Amino acid sequence: MTRIFSGIKPTGHLTLGNYLGAVRRWVRKDQHRAEALFGIVDLHALTVEHDPARVRRLSRQAATLLLASGLDPERCTLFVQSHVDEHARLSYLLECVATDGEMRRMIQYKEKAAAERARGGSVRLSLLTYPVLMAADILAYGTDEVPVGDDQAQHVELTRDLAVRFNQRYGHTFTVPRATHPRVAARVMDLQDPRSKMGKSHESGAGIVYLLDEPEAVRKKVMRAVTDSGSDVVYDREAGPGLANLLDVLAACRGEECDPAAVAAEYSSYGALKRDVADAVVELLRPVRKRHAELVADPGYVDGVLRTGAGRARGLARPVVDRAYRAVGLLPPV
Ligand code: AQP
């Protein structure tokens, strides 16, 4: 059976980008057609300055929201990365296969390190090495497919390279995974800055729709979205990224098969389009917010899901990581 792994980091409140780029597919498709594991990848939240209490809070909130979005613990495994030691164990072995040059080429490293330095801060070593941890997250489960938004394509490519290199050097150990992306809204852009990704850790929330935003807040953000000069509603990501982003979101809300260029043809004004986008997003998120409120009232349930999930994940990862330890020449415990 196809094995799927994907994760989400507790660096902020989950956004519409996370939902359309990743979570919705996990819920609607992946958990039904494959053996699927989804991780709250909390170790990845430590690569930049962080508040421990906030990471703890956001980890729990992310788990609750994934369940509220429709992940079914009977159909998939939901767990917290730091509860499964195999991720960190394998990461070190993969660091011994990766090169510093390929780490320094990672776009997200370059961007985040530059931003950190511009603020006068220092760059944590883990910011450079976390793509290796991400490779470990994936490879530890013999993963075939990694459903992600397209911002993660480079990291999955690195994971493939490391798997192939490891297998060539030490004998076949890892499945070589591939990334899958949604057909529309693979990269939802910030509503105030449509040339930047809508990212949950970005400081200003004005262009970011959070899954838990009240309907009024969603409407306000969408109605104030930056659009492009001109008045024709056409789908052109280069010339009109603001409009294209709204069309992507509306198409995605209607379904993965919906074509944003065809949606554009239905509109002759930006205002009407924005109103429909706002309505569609509010309706998309309504059941998620409702279920989240119910689950928050039952934290014992969420704990139970995470406990069972970690147990299952450990059971799957352990043999794979043990095999990798033996393959590189480490003596088994006596
Ligand atoms: N804007 C987006 N559009 C489509 N997919 C997205 N994803 C994230 N943003 C978008 C996908 O959601 C999954 C989990 O994302 P993440 O937790 O790894 O990253 P983030 O939400 O982008 O959080 P940060 O902290 O703000 O991350 P960076 O530092 O990357 O900007 C992934 O499948 C991701 O592709």
Side-chain angles (χ1 to χ4, degrees), residues 9 11 17-18 21 108 112 148-149 151 186 188 197-198 200-201:
K9 26 180 206 285
T11 43
N18 298 131
Q108 296 201 9
K112 286 192 175 173
V148 282
D151 58 315
V188 178
K197 185 189 86 166
M198 185 184 281
K200 71 170 113 57
S201 61

Side-chain angles (χ1 to χ4, degrees), residues 1-264:
M1 194 178 197
T2 303
R3 181 80 57 84
I4 285 182
F5 173 86
S6 199
I8 199 145
K9 26 180 206 285
T11 43
H13 302 287
L14 266 62
T15 70
L16 183 64
N18 298 131
Y19 189 77
L20 293 178
V23 175
R24 187 170 68 162
R25 274 190 310 149
W26 303 350
V27 167
R28 294 194 185 170
K29 290 193 177 154
D30 298 328
Q31 66 173 347
H32 300 286
R33 70 183 178 86
E35 179 163 12
L37 294 108
F38 302 108
I40 313 299
V41 287
D42 51 353
L43 298 172
H44 290 287
L46 314 183
T47 57
V48 290
E49 202 175 316
H50 69 279
D51 167 12
R54 184 164 189 265
V55 170
R56 245 184 324 267
R57 217 170 38 244
L58 289 173
S59 297
R60 172 170 286 285
Q61 188 193 69
T64 310
L65 265 172
L66 291 181
L67 292 169
S69 299
L71 284 189
D72 175 355
E74 301 294 319
R75 292 186 176 277
C76 69
T77 299
L78 176 63
F79 68 102
V80 174
Q81 177 196 34
S82 64
H83 295 175
V84 180
D85 295 342
E86 274 58 37
H87 294 246
R89 274 181 79 214
L90 180 56
S91 185
Y92 180 72
L93 285 203
L94 296 177
E95 281 186 23
C96 300
V97 173
T99 67
D100 75 317
E102 63 194 341
M103 290 302 106
R104 288 181 205 283
R105 282 197 293 276
M106 293 290 120
I107 293 162
Q108 296 201 9
Y109 168 72
K110 288 199 231 174
E111 288 177 355
K112 286 192 175 173
E116 199 62 53
R117 290 195 183 101
R119 275 197 295 270
S122 51
V123 177
R124 294 184 184 187
L125 182 59
S126 56
L127 188 63
L128 181 65
T129 56
Y130 84 87
V132 178
L133 176 60
M134 187 173 151
D137 300 337
I138 296 167
L139 298 181
Y141 295 101
T143 302
D144 300 289
E145 291 179 20
V146 191
V148 282
D150 76 1
D151 58 315
Q152 294 299 335
Q154 193 187 28
H155 291 151
V156 179
E157 222 21 68
L158 172 79
T159 304
R160 291 168 58 81
D161 290 346
L162 296 182
V164 168
R165 201 176 304 154
F166 189 104
N167 288 347
Q168 280 169 350
R169 268 186 212 165
Y170 304 113
H172 184 81
T173 307
F174 297 121
T175 305
V176 181
R178 68 183 184 90
T180 63
H181 307 290
R183 289 194 40 211
V184 272
R187 187 179 299 232
V188 178
M189 308 309 271
D190 190 295
L191 298 176
Q192 287 299 311
D193 176 11
R195 297 206 185 263
S196 304
K197 185 189 86 166
M198 185 184 281
K200 71 170 113 57
S201 61
H202 299 181
E203 269 147 33
S204 160
I208 304 174
V209 174
Y210 298 104
L211 300 193
L212 291 177
D213 275 345
E214 300 281 343
E216 253 338 282
V218 174
R219 284 183 206 288
K220 226 182 241 167
K221 288 176 185 180
V222 173
M223 295 311 289
R224 289 183 186 162
V226 169
T227 37
D228 319 285
S229 51
S231 53
D232 291 342
V233 180
V234 284
Y235 184 73
D236 182 339
R237 289 195 80 116
E238 271 312 302
L243 204 53
N245 191 37
L246 291 173
L247 290 164
D248 275 340
V249 169
L250 184 51
C253 288
R254 290 181 182 177
E256 250 204 74
E257 302 308 312
C258 187
D259 174 8
V263 174

